Amino acid sequence: MTLSYVNPTPDSPWGTYLSQVDRVIPYLGPLASWAESLKRPKRALIVDVPIELDNGTVAHFEGYRVQHSLSRGPGKGGVRYHPDVTLEEVMALSAWMSIKNAAVNLPYGGAKGGIRVDPKKLSTKELERLTRRYTSEIGIIIGPQQDIPAPDVNTNAQVMAWMMDTYSMNTGATATGVVTGKPIHLGGSLGRVKATGRGVFVTGREAARRINLELNGAKVAVQGFGNVGSSAAELFGQAGAKIVAAQDHTGTIYNSKGFDLSQLIPHVRDTGGVAGFKGAEPMDNEAFWDVPCDILIPAALEGQLNAERASRTRARLVLEGANGPTLPVADDILAERGILVVPDVICNAGGVTVSYFEWVQDFSSFFWTEDEINLRLDKIMVGALKKIWDTADRHRITLRTATFAVACERILMARQERGLYP
Ligand code: NAD
């Protein structure tokens, strides 16, 4: 039965997720009888977020928090501020969090939140009021043991500090464990800011080894040069790879010899985007998908790799830093062309893994060194990827379907063992 409150198309985020679930069902054995529960979010909250603007008028924004599954533990997933956010998108992002958390075996369900807003049009004070009102509205379903938000597109450590403070004020006790991705002195974890990019690098390094792709000298193209894209680029650069193309909402740049990242990263920080960087040539946005490269890292938004772009890319390896960047039809084309895809649900799991470390550190009030965090992250990611790869080899399926198989088995096993209440 389809849900009455969304109308997904095959290419929309929820439509993409549903098709990914359909592909894994044949590999779930008897647990397939529970698969319908993967196609329905457990809970979806829509909230009105009214705030007073600096000019004294009141503006209303639409906010969401979706808990896709809580079978394996509290909800966990980021909060996105973007003008195109919809309930359907947040549903898909929350479902991908369920898969991701189970794929790396974190004791979490999956959740996600968002506000339909262009944060670049708000002042810092307006952004703070928006965050605090949204946190109060979703306060009825979040909490350190219920659902733990984190940063996503256009949200950061400062936004998490406001969320933590608001929740703490409303409940009467400082609750550091209610969000992750906080500033370090508020219970944040060392290594969290770059953890997602680090996970992209670790899974990319392992995948490159398996297909005999030498990282030293490899050419890399990165779409989205924000938190995830720039951190991954930095680590690939340190491993000797050349970042030859980058695209963000301001434009696309290219340099066949590779960018000087020690100049590009400050340029993006100071100007807000890659456009205008002097150490590269500007390029037409669509030409980004044709650049000669070995590794393609989509690290912006959903649905970027469509059928046409998948037929054009010259990469041997696609590392999904973003959530949902590849449409199912493009997945098939990449597989036919022998291009390996490390899917989002394992590739970008480094962020939530270090978020889990942060949550554990907050509960024990005992904080680890950055080396400890990076080592544990590396170990968890490598172990999770190995299990996925073994599953892919055993069934002769893609890494995406194999990740879904490993994760869905864990989720549905928990679902079955808990049973239905009442
Ligand atoms: P961010 O806000 O730091 O960066 C987003 C980047 O995407 C920016 O460079 C922006 O310019 C670019 N972008 C936006 N619209 C674009 C467009 N139309 N074309 C090209 N580029 C565009 O966000 P982030 O945290 O780096 O998240 C990026 C992706 O990674 C998202 O899909 C997010 O869900 C996913 N992700 C993030 C984390 C995390 O820890 N931050 C964890 C897992 C997955």
Side-chain angles (χ1 to χ4, degrees):
M1 281 272 283
T2 52
L3 300 170
S4 67
Y5 51 90
V6 286
N7 193 12
T9 64
D11 289 353
S12 66
W14 185 249
T16 297
Y17 166 74
L18 291 179
S19 131
Q20 292 166 347
V21 171
D22 283 338
R23 287 173 183 213
V24 78
I25 288 174
Y27 306 99
L28 294 178
L31 286 171
S33 61
W34 286 90
E36 180 65 20
S37 62
L38 297 167
K39 297 184 174 183
R40 297 161 176 272
K42 176 180 174 63
R43 188 177 285 140
L45 180 65
I46 305 175
V47 295
D48 175 36
V49 189
I51 59 159
E52 187 178 328
L53 300 177
D54 293 345
N55 65 13
T57 62
V58 174
H60 291 258
F61 299 93
E62 210 170 290
Y64 313 94
R65 185 75 189 169
V66 177
Q67 295 170 342
H68 171 260
S69 166
L70 302 180
S71 295
R72 303 182 71 252
K76 184 91 194 80
V79 174
R80 175 174 294 194
Y81 290 176
H82 196 279
D84 298 334
V85 164
T86 60
L87 172 63
E88 200 217 294
E89 181 190 42
V90 178
M91 280 167 56
L93 291 166
S94 73
W96 284 321
M97 288 310 299
S98 299
I99 304 295
K100 192 183 306 180
N101 293 333
V104 275
N105 216 0
L106 304 178
Y108 290 135
K112 200 86 179 192
I115 307 181
R116 197 170 165 81
V117 61
D118 185 352
K120 295 186 175 66
K121 292 191 176 145
L122 297 184
S123 69
T124 306
K125 278 287 161 204
E126 289 168 338
L127 204 58
E128 178 175 351
R129 288 197 285 275
L130 179 85
T131 302
R132 288 186 182 280
R133 181 61 190 243
Y134 168 71
T135 308
S136 295
E137 294 294 344
I138 65 166
I140 51 174
I141 62 167
I142 63 167
Q145 299 289 2
Q146 285 128 298
D147 181 1
I148 307 118
D152 191 70
V153 174
N154 290 328
T155 55
N156 56 20
Q158 176 60 76
V159 171
M160 293 306 114
W162 290 327
M163 289 190 79
M164 187 276 261
D165 183 68
T166 305
Y167 181 87
S168 299
M169 289 296 119
N170 288 343
T171 55
T174 295
T176 52
V178 68
V179 288
T180 57
K182 299 178 294 293
I184 298 297
H185 49 277
L186 286 182
S189 177
L190 294 168
R192 172 61 185 92
V193 173
K194 296 190 173 179
T196 307
R198 183 172 290 280
V200 172
F201 171 73
V202 170
T203 53
R205 182 193 68 203
E206 296 301 302
R209 191 171 51 75
R210 287 187 182 240
I211 61 169
N212 294 320
L213 171 61
E214 177 60 56
L215 284 190
N216 192 13
K219 292 184 172 179
V220 181
V222 187
Q223 189 205 32
F225 213 75
N227 175 308
V228 178
S230 66
S231 310
E234 224 176 350
L235 287 164
F236 277 103
Q238 286 165 17
K242 289 191 273 188
I243 317 302
V244 294
Q247 178 178 94
D248 69 6
H249 71 286
T250 66
T252 305
I253 55 170
Y254 180 70
N255 181 339
S256 62
K257 296 197 176 68
F259 309 131
D260 180 346
L261 293 176
S262 68
Q263 291 185 5
L264 177 57
I265 289 171
H267 170 85
V268 172
R269 189 187 55 225
D270 296 344
T271 67
V274 298
F277 178 57
K278 292 207 165 46
E281 296 295 321
M283 182 184 245
D284 176 65
N285 280 340
E286 199 49 41
F288 171 82
W289 304 96
D290 300 310
V291 294
C293 64
D294 303 295
I295 301 175
L296 173 65
I297 308 181
L301 298 171
E302 301 92 52
Q304 296 297 305
L305 254 172
N306 56 24
E308 209 247 320
R309 291 170 177 173
S311 338
R312 278 161 45 203
T313 183
R314 292 153 80 171
R316 289 176 61 195
L317 179 59
V318 176
L319 304 175
E320 293 188 339
N323 286 306
T326 309
L327 298 180
V329 57
D331 243 351
D332 294 340
I333 293 169
L334 293 170
E336 274 161 28
R337 294 187 61 210
I339 298 169
L340 180 65
V341 178
V342 182
D344 49 4
V345 276
I346 180 63
C347 191
N348 70 33
V352 72
T353 302
V354 176
S355 272
Y356 165 63
F357 296 164
E358 178 174 334
W359 186 70
V360 169
Q361 291 171 85
D362 286 340
F363 276 126
S364 58
S365 299
F366 179 77
F367 291 87
W368 312 347
T369 65
E370 191 158 356
D371 279 351
E372 274 176 283
I373 284 158
N374 291 343
L375 276 172
R376 285 180 198 230
L377 172 64
D378 206 298
K379 198 170 164 200
I380 287 181
M381 299 290 294
V382 170
L385 188 62
K386 181 172 183 315
K387 183 170 171 65
I388 290 163
W389 219 296
D390 291 347
T391 305
D393 287 346
R394 194 166 63 248
H395 295 299
R396 295 176 170 275
I397 50 180
T398 62
L399 288 182
R400 188 183 316 280
T401 302
T403 311
F404 268 69
V406 169
C408 292
E409 187 182 333
R410 287 178 178 150
I411 296 167
L412 297 181
M413 189 68 86
R415 192 79 200 76
Q416 179 172 274
E417 285 166 351
R418 288 179 67 157
L420 291 181
Y421 173 86

